[in-house]
Amino acid sequence: MQVAAAPFTSATWTIRRPVGTDNAARRLNPQSSVGQVKATARCFTPLKHSAASSELLGMGLEAGFGPARIQKRATSSVRAQAADGEASGDVATRQSNPATTGMVLPAVGIACLGAILFGYHLGVVNGALEYISKDLGFATDAVKQGWVVSSTLAGATVGSFTGGALADNLGRKRTFQINAVPLIVGTLLSAKATSFEAMVIGRILVGVGIGVSSGVVPLYISEVSPTEIRGTMGTLNQLFICVGILLALIAGLPLGSNPVWWRTMFALATVPAVLLGLGMAYCPESPRWLYKNGKTAEAETAVRRLWGKAKVESSMADLKASSVETVKGDTQDASWGELFGKRYRKVVTVGMALFLFQQFAGINAVVYFSTQVFRSAGITNDVAASALVGAANVAGTTVASGMMDKQGRKSLLMGSFAGMSLSMLVLSLALSWSPLAPYSGTLAVLGTVSYILSFSLGAGPVPGLLLPEIFGARIRAKAVALSLGVHWICNFMIGLFFLNVVQKFGVSTVYLFFSAVCAAAIAYVGGNVVETKGRSLEDIERELSPAV
């Protein structure tokens, strides 16, 4: 919607809504039982804004009130027609939504050091495991080699649950700083290890650290990012995980000529961990966490530092309105048991299901077999094969970051699962259908790359972004932790049983199963996931977790 108006206009607006309009409308005029609102506005610049640029219309139309009749009484009037058909009538002067001028980008960037460490520690052991096992004397023991890998996943499961409690009780910022300790200590133990036991202990500590990061990074980003760029900011978490994996690949290049280089590879990870702990000292705390814990003045200061002075009044009003709408006793963080109560059960189930579908859609299997797939197509360089997979992941996630606030989370997620399902079907047929045998290598590579691209466009970045958005303030940290706990448990189980299942049923059948899971995910997302694009966290909470 666009309007044009003369400058220097003073106007009185009346928005008439039927009885039953939701709480956001009533907040504009609490005294009106029919949702009637009057506001006086004065504008000193020519008007030509999108519908989202007006705070008043943003509350009345963009938040989902539907068609509205807007009347204007003024000495100078203009008429505007809704371009999208959602609203019509006389539209008065509108005040632009002020641009974000604070330090949200540096704060998100420092938080994303946790995402880089997440990806780096998942990828660093893959290329180095052969050299680690030879150096520490368990080259012929497959069980011990498996423990070096899986101990990190076990630690991450513990860390994901621990992180939720820490974030609720101590705050997001302090949790980051505490989490730097196991990331540093575990990394140094691994780098200096002289025995299998020392290596496993170091990997467990690192796992705890990345488990905490996996929940707190997207939680913090969602709470410190303004609504208009929250989707783009949220995808940075997944993007920097991919960057971390690529950095681990690059760090492993000297291994061929220097077998003890693996110790340096681990030691390098202390640098971002130290920067994370120190950098968070200069970052604002989440204003939503501060306000929820009764620290109103600190919350206002955090808003000013993050988003600029122009956004303080509207942001604090939204936080206050959200707080007023909670029932008595809701100021306290929810218990673990409340997550499965009537009020929150459905939304918590959606969060867990998204990660369940993500893991059982086959991403780990595709990455695991990518080297063999590329070899079948004549690409014998393992580093080149891994680089191609990593590059596809980074490229897709970069594209997704630019589309998240335009296309929306739900449409990207459904399109992603559709592409993954089709890619898995191609992979399955390429490996089992005899008429395609002459082209199996080429088709397998195409299927693998298209699967990775599809995953990185939606199924990879969206769940981590969507969860902090759909969970209410009282349950956000614990519900994110619970959902990520499901992620790590599924990850661990797939790693434990995947090869046995492949040996029993064949990789083609397993890929066909993954294709069916992706198809089921499309139906589930279509029926259960709401679109959160362009909506404040408080508005989303009012819809999904009403107080009454």
Side-chain angles (χ1 to χ4, degrees), residues 153 157 161 482 484-495:
L153 303 180
T157 303
F161 288 106
L482 177 64
L484 283 162
V486 171
H487 165 275
W488 288 114
I489 291 171
C490 291
N491 200 328
F492 180 80
M493 298 298 290
I494 290 171

Side-chain angles (χ1 to χ4, degrees), residues 49-383:
H49 303 306
S50 67
S53 66
S54 166
E55 182 179 345
L56 183 59
L57 286 181
M59 287 173 151
L61 299 177
E62 299 285 332
F65 290 179
R69 174 191 269 172
I70 302 177
Q71 298 176 330
K72 171 197 168 191
R73 301 185 184 95
T75 56
S76 175
S77 65
V78 294
R79 297 188 63 84
Q81 189 73 23
D84 55 7
E86 291 182 354
S88 62
D90 297 320
V91 180
T93 347
R94 300 186 300 169
Q95 181 180 355
S96 163
N97 191 24
T100 299
T101 59
M103 61 170 296
V104 62
L105 289 178
V108 169
I110 291 172
C112 282
L113 289 171
I116 290 176
L117 287 166
F118 184 161
Y120 188 88
H121 282 296
L122 287 181
V124 71
V125 76
N126 290 337
L129 184 59
E130 177 185 353
Y131 302 93
I132 294 171
S133 59
K134 288 179 179 178
D135 200 3
L136 299 184
F138 55 91
T140 59
D141 193 331
V143 174
K144 287 186 176 181
Q145 291 181 29
W147 268 106
V148 172
V149 176
S150 61
S151 57
T152 306
L153 303 180
T157 303
V158 175
S160 66
F161 288 106
T162 305
L166 287 174
D168 268 343
N169 295 324
L170 303 179
R172 289 41 165 155
K173 176 177 173 178
R174 184 63 58 84
T175 301
F176 273 115
Q177 293 175 308
I178 293 173
N179 190 43
V181 175
L183 286 170
I184 295 171
V185 174
T187 298
L188 291 176
L189 275 176
S190 299
K192 298 292 185 181
T194 57
S195 66
F196 163 76
E197 291 77 13
M199 173 59 70
V200 169
I201 292 172
R203 295 295 290 167
I204 289 174
L205 285 174
V206 164
V208 171
I210 66 173
V212 172
S213 294
S214 68
V216 180
V217 172
L219 178 65
Y220 181 78
I221 291 175
S222 72
E223 292 187 338
V224 303
S225 299
T227 300
E228 63 270 19
I229 60 171
R230 193 177 63 239
T232 300
M233 293 293 99
T235 56
L236 292 180
N237 177 49
Q238 180 69 19
L239 177 61
F240 279 103
I241 290 174
C242 299
V243 169
I245 294 172
L246 276 180
L247 289 175
L249 174 66
I250 295 170
L253 290 177
L255 276 171
S257 58
N258 185 2
V260 296
W261 177 255
W262 66 267
R263 295 185 182 275
T264 304
M265 292 172 63
F266 280 100
L268 288 173
T270 59
V271 176
V274 170
L275 292 176
L276 176 64
L278 295 177
M280 269 294 152
Y282 299 95
C283 293
E285 177 58 271
S286 160
R288 291 178 168 94
W289 181 85
L290 289 169
Y291 195 91
K292 182 168 67 75
N293 285 273
K295 301 179 180 182
T296 306
E298 292 93 329
E300 185 172 333
T301 300
V303 169
R304 185 179 293 106
R305 291 183 64 196
L306 284 165
W307 306 331
K309 185 177 179 179
K311 285 182 175 284
V312 171
E313 185 176 353
S314 60
S315 299
M316 294 304 295
D318 206 8
L319 289 173
K320 181 179 180 180
S322 179
S323 176
V324 168
E325 289 176 10
T326 59
V327 297
K328 186 176 180 181
D330 267 1
T331 55
Q332 299 298 318
D333 293 323
S335 66
W336 288 102
E338 285 184 76
L339 299 185
F340 300 98
K342 182 178 180 181
R343 179 179 178 186
Y344 299 118
R345 181 171 56 242
K346 181 177 179 179
V347 70
V348 170
T349 301
V350 169
M352 293 190 296
L354 287 178
F355 275 114
L356 190 72
F357 279 120
Q358 183 198 66
Q359 290 303 299
F360 281 96
I363 179 61
N364 294 313
V366 170
V367 172
Y368 182 88
F369 274 105
S370 61
T371 300
Q372 296 181 29
V373 166
F374 290 131
R375 283 177 180 173
S376 69
I379 302 175
T380 57
N381 189 316
D382 292 351
V383 174

Side-chain angles (χ1 to χ4, degrees), residues 21-29 59-60 63 65 321 325 539 542:
T21 290
D22 68 12
N23 293 328
R26 288 197 293 271
R27 289 202 314 278
L28 296 176
N29 187 352
M59 287 173 151
F65 290 179
E325 289 176 10
D539 177 41
R542 283 189 289 270

